[in-house]
Amino acid sequence: MDNPYVLTHQTPTHKDYIDTTDFDQSEILDIIKVSTAVRSFLKSGGTLETLYHQNLAMIFEQKSTRTRVSFEVAMEQLGGHALNLAPGAIQLGAHETIGDTAKVLARMCNLIMARVDRHASVVELAEKSTVPVINGMSDYNHPTQEMGDIITILDHLPADKAWNDVKVVFVGDCTQVCASLMMITTKLGMNFVHYGPQDKWLSDDILNIGRANVQQYGGSVQVSDDPAILKGADFLYTDVWYGLYDNETPKEVYMRDFYPKYQVNDEMLAATENPNVKFMHCLPANRGEEVTDSVLDGPHSVAWDEAENRLTAQRGLCLYFGGVAQDALNEIKRQKEE
Ligand code: CP
């Protein structure tokens, strides 16, 4: 029987958290285990100082609410500190290279988290840094969102289903969040569908990651523009159709391509023929576009739990990549046995 206080890999098997494709299922389950154990412990009134005197440098090339706040609160709750290095606040870009920034931050901080415009930037940061680097979103993927999302899905599993029986449908554009949801759900052997216009489907290169996961862990990965694919969905997930980057396709074009067919509204929930279907959104949302108010604020929505689980996940990630996840579990066990 699984011991809730013992990780399969008691020390991290990778220095950095850039892409969940680098991790096998047991490593992902370890991060979920420490994240959810710490959540339960803190919610029951416990305190942990496992990251005492640890510093996290947070580089942001773009705006952020959830990622920024969840990392800062996670570090503070566990006895550490986070530095918000907002756009324009450090020399990166204008006067200093990514590599030099990485080397300097690694001399002063224990962990680095970076939200970058281009994936190559976070890869280079990790290569040059001697301390762990966590990818806080790039134009390719959003692995910290993945961890919060998979915890949310496991929190809201249908009562009659094992996790590898659930069907997760991402509706809309092939954003990095869509790619990431595909990567993490197939890593756990779930059934993933990308439902959207054919010219906005995930690329074959990205789908091949899911196909390899299906070979290893079971489940399935599909793309479709046929609304019949919605039937039996346990989770409907969407993301904004535009607005992530400045120089992208205009709003009018996205509205023409996605609206109204790919808007998650009450009719789409009904098309699942599942009265218990759950709705997820990484947020922020463009209300009235990819999702209606009635769905986002309605009884099927778990989007607010999902937002809170960004904090659940960041605590686990900081502990895991700080090399002290097993220490945190040992401390929780010790305090519970007192
Ligand atoms: N979902 C997400 O990453 O939100 P922020 O952009 O506010 O961090």
Side-chain angles (χ1 to χ4, degrees), residues 138-201:
S138 71
D139 57 344
Y140 172 67
N141 64 347
H142 197 352
T144 66
Q145 182 78 45
E146 283 178 54
M147 198 54 68
D149 288 348
I150 201 67
I151 290 169
T152 306
I153 290 171
L154 295 173
D155 285 345
H156 291 281
L157 280 182
D160 58 342
K161 282 191 178 179
W163 81 52
N164 50 6
D165 286 335
V166 301
K167 179 174 178 179
V168 180
V169 180
F170 184 96
V171 182
D173 195 10
C174 55
T175 61
Q176 66 277 74
V177 170
C178 175
S180 270
L181 187 70
M182 189 276 298
M183 292 171 190
I184 197 74
T185 53
T186 57
K187 182 75 73 180
L188 264 67
M190 297 175 177
N191 302 294
F192 174 85
V193 178
H194 178 199
Y195 171 59
Q198 201 162 344
D199 64 338
K200 307 283 193 212
W201 285 347

Side-chain angles (χ1 to χ4, degrees), residues 56-67:
L56 169 73
M58 304 189 295
I59 298 172
F60 285 100
E61 291 185 347
Q62 299 162 6
K63 292 176 196 161
S64 166
T65 298
R66 280 143 288 270
T67 307

